[in-house]
Amino acid sequence: MMKMVSRRRFIKGLLGVVIGSSVKAINTFATSTSRREGKNWGFVVDTTKCIGCGNCVKACKLENDVPIDKHVYRTWVESYRIKSDDEVEIASPDGGINGFNSVEYKEGEKSFFVPKLCNQCEDPPCVQVCPVGATYSTEDGVILVDRSWCMGCRYCIQACPYKVRFIHPEHKVADKCNWCYHRITKGKLPACVQACPVGARKFGDLNDSESEVSAILKEERIGVLKPDLGTKPRVYYLGLDKEVR
Amino acid sequence: MVLVLIVLIIASAGARYLLIPPTFGDKGHFRADNIGEWEDYPSSYAESKACKSCHLGKHTDWSDAGHKTVNCETCHGPALAHSKNPVDTKPNIDRSRDFCGRCHEQLEPRKRNIPTKVLSKHNTGTQCVSCHNPHDPAPKTR
């Protein structure tokens, strides 16, 4: 009888430990995905201003040590050409890093540039699928990749609906735009924003009602990429055409 | 049976201690130290205000002219190393027509925003900087 009781107590204790650890794990996961007090970074791309010079692409590569000659980009610029029969041509030669060449346009065609970068989604599929916790959302709303913990399985690359992730040619792990986290946490602007000559990229704290990005979100008509996916992007576009995906 | 369970628990605790890195789980399902590692990532850019102390004349021309929205390092590249060691490291100075064309070549999608020219027809064979001071680009001669 004594033996039975002690075994029962032992199993109860074991169950308690297992349930306790699970609750702790669930709590920490919930904390990591919820928005915290303080900064809440936001990014605005004004497609009506972008001139397709590619200076943002170049500055990004130089600031973040992404090899300049490799076809991998943390940010890039696409040119859209919408023909009169609604056929859409999208081009991004070398990510637009060297600008764009002149193209013969016909009457009735529409054309514009669209910069792309990580949307730092509020509900990020890349974070959900990472099997080892190497990609995560910070409390101020940026998705980071832990280079020393990522094992390069490419699951996140597959999961990102915006195709912003790639394997870094030198580090051999997943890489992507992090809005220059090393700069924004020191009060600076991301390198691409700093390099844009026409103010087509804007960055700031959405919790600060005085910031330019807050004013834009409050007053202007904005759009996000692939809103139907429910990822809640934090990159907001001004002048977003319905053909932009 | 009980002994086996105890051994399993001790083994799993040991494996967890050995395999999971420090600070993993402190702030969520990731290694908390990694946030600080990204914050400490080095920057290559000095910002335009850093250029002012040595290049006051050019900074003054630039800050009141058509290119005032274009930061120094947009054209000259990252200059933090130059600001720390101005003698041994020099920033990029590209006076080619192609470089100016990155912004000013006439392209259909860029038609509204800034002054553009069809470079293949505009004063060919001449460097843009012959007529346009890049820091104050409105042409002085025509």
Side-chain angles (χ1 to χ4, degrees), chain A residues 59 62-63 182-183 186 188-189 191 194-195, chain B residues 42-55 59 71-74 76-86 89 91:
Chain A
L62 293 171
E63 177 68 349
H182 58 296
R183 295 172 61 87
K186 295 182 185 75
K188 296 178 181 177
L189 292 169
Q194 192 75 20
Chain B
S43 177
S44 311
Y45 284 83
E47 317 296 325
S48 292
K49 58 186 177 220
C51 310
K52 189 178 177 180
S53 56
C54 296
H55 305 282
H59 193 279
N71 285 306
C72 306
E73 290 163 302
T74 299
H76 295 295
L80 186 65
H82 170 68
S83 72
K84 288 181 174 170
N85 186 354
T89 58

Side-chain angles (χ1 to χ4, degrees), chain A residues 72-103:
Chain A
V72 286
Y73 305 90
R74 284 183 166 206
T75 185
W76 68 96
V77 180
E78 295 173 353
S79 78
Y80 277 72
R81 177 186 186 183
I82 299 167
K83 298 181 177 178
S84 47
D85 59 358
D86 284 347
E87 188 191 335
V88 182
E89 266 183 20
I90 306 166
S92 186
D94 296 330
I97 195 166
N98 298 312
F100 290 80
N101 293 324
S102 190
V103 176

Side-chain angles (χ1 to χ4, degrees), chain B:
Chain B
M1 180 67 182
V2 173
L3 191 65
V4 171
L5 275 171
I6 290 168
V7 169
L8 279 175
I9 289 167
I10 292 169
S12 66
R16 189 180 163 81
Y17 177 76
L18 290 172
L19 297 176
I20 296 180
T23 74
F24 194 98
D26 287 2
K27 291 189 173 179
H29 189 61
F30 60 93
R31 199 169 57 84
D33 276 353
N34 186 240
I35 298 175
E37 289 164 13
W38 275 116
E39 286 174 354
D40 293 340
Y41 194 82
S43 177
S44 311
Y45 284 83
E47 317 296 325
S48 292
K49 58 186 177 220
C51 310
K52 189 178 177 180
S53 56
C54 296
H55 305 282
L56 183 62
K58 286 187 171 59
H59 193 279
T60 307
D61 285 351
W62 161 81
S63 59
D64 195 30
H67 275 167
K68 64 185 173 191
T69 60
V70 187
N71 285 306
C72 306
E73 290 163 302
T74 299
C75 296
H76 295 295
L80 186 65
H82 170 68
S83 72
K84 288 181 174 170
N85 186 354
V87 177
D88 294 333
T89 58
K90 298 291 182 188
N92 181 43
I93 299 176
D94 189 344
R95 297 187 175 91
S96 70
R97 288 173 66 89
D98 283 349
F99 184 69
C100 302
R102 282 179 75 111
C103 293
H104 295 289
E105 174 72 86
Q106 193 171 95
L107 301 179
E108 188 65 17
R110 117 180 354 159
K111 56 188 178 287
R112 291 175 298 275
N113 299 329
I114 56 165
T116 56
K117 292 286 178 191
V118 179
L119 292 190
S120 59
K121 295 177 183 167
H122 178 73
N123 293 332
T124 52
T126 312
Q127 279 196 326
C128 307
V129 295
S130 304
C131 301
H132 304 273
N133 171 4
H135 301 110
D136 182 5
K140 301 290 182 283
T141 56
R142 285 189 183 275

Side-chain angles (χ1 to χ4, degrees), chain A residues 23-36:
Chain A
V23 167
K24 192 183 176 227
I26 289 164
N27 278 342
T28 51
F29 182 73
T31 308
S32 72
T33 52
S34 67
R35 197 180 275 181
R36 76 169 173 191

Side-chain angles (χ1 to χ4, degrees), chain A:
Chain A
M1 188 61 190
M2 279 299 287
K3 198 178 176 185
M4 283 296 289
V5 170
S6 63
R7 183 178 295 172
R8 188 173 295 160
R9 274 187 186 162
F10 176 75
I11 291 169
K12 271 185 183 174
L14 196 66
L15 276 173
V17 168
V18 169
I19 291 167
S21 332
S22 308
V23 167
K24 192 183 176 227
I26 289 164
N27 278 342
T28 51
F29 182 73
T31 308
S32 72
T33 52
S34 67
R35 197 180 275 181
R36 76 169 173 191
E37 296 290 314
K39 302 290 185 190
N40 176 25
W41 304 116
F43 202 110
V44 172
V45 175
D46 189 345
T47 62
T48 65
K49 285 187 176 169
C50 180
I51 58 171
C53 65
N55 282 314
C56 50
V57 184
K58 193 175 174 186
C60 170
K61 283 212 171 202
L62 293 171
E63 177 68 349
N64 295 292
D65 293 319
V66 180
I68 206 101
D69 55 336
K70 302 286 184 192
H71 290 281
V72 286
Y73 305 90
R74 284 183 166 206
T75 185
W76 68 96
V77 180
E78 295 173 353
S79 78
Y80 277 72
R81 177 186 186 183
I82 299 167
K83 298 181 177 178
S84 47
D85 59 358
D86 284 347
E87 188 191 335
V88 182
E89 266 183 20
I90 306 166
S92 186
D94 296 330
I97 195 166
N98 298 312
F100 290 80
N101 293 324
S102 190
V103 176
E104 282 289 321
Y105 283 83
K106 293 175 187 164
E107 191 68 28
E109 291 185 351
K110 186 163 67 172
S111 61
F112 48 86
F113 294 111
V114 181
K116 297 271 184 80
L117 67 162
C118 177
N119 287 280
Q120 317 293 353
C121 304
E122 213 171 306
D123 286 329
C126 56
V127 173
Q128 273 186 34
V129 301
C130 179
V132 294
T135 190
Y136 57 93
S137 186
T138 64
E139 292 163 323
D140 43 356
V142 178
I143 316 294
L144 296 177
V145 179
D146 185 343
R147 282 181 173 170
S148 67
W149 200 233
C150 173
M151 57 184 188
C153 72
R154 295 167 168 78
Y155 225 143
C156 56
I157 297 175
Q158 190 73 19
C160 174
Y162 305 102
K163 303 298 171 205
V164 303
R165 285 174 170 257
F166 56 90
I167 292 291
H168 194 288
E170 287 165 3
H171 300 293
K172 311 293 182 196
V173 294
D175 199 53
K176 66 161 198 83
C177 160
N178 58 18
W179 288 354
C180 289
Y181 200 67
H182 58 296
R183 295 172 61 87
I184 61 174
T185 48
K186 295 182 185 75
K188 296 178 181 177
L189 292 169
C192 61
V193 178
Q194 192 75 20
C196 180
V198 293
R201 292 172 178 249
K202 300 170 195 304
F203 177 83
D205 182 9
L206 296 175
N207 281 348
D208 174 6
S209 57
E210 303 292 311
S211 71
E212 188 181 10
V213 287
S214 289
I216 290 170
L217 261 62
K218 192 177 169 190
E219 292 163 16
E220 303 291 340
R221 285 161 285 180
I222 50 161
V224 294
L225 297 176
K226 306 185 188 210
D228 47 313
L229 296 180
T231 54
K232 299 181 189 165
R234 287 195 182 94
V235 175
Y236 304 94
Y237 282 85
L238 284 164
L240 193 63
D241 191 90
K242 66 182 170 58
E243 298 294 348
V244 178
R245 295 180 280 270

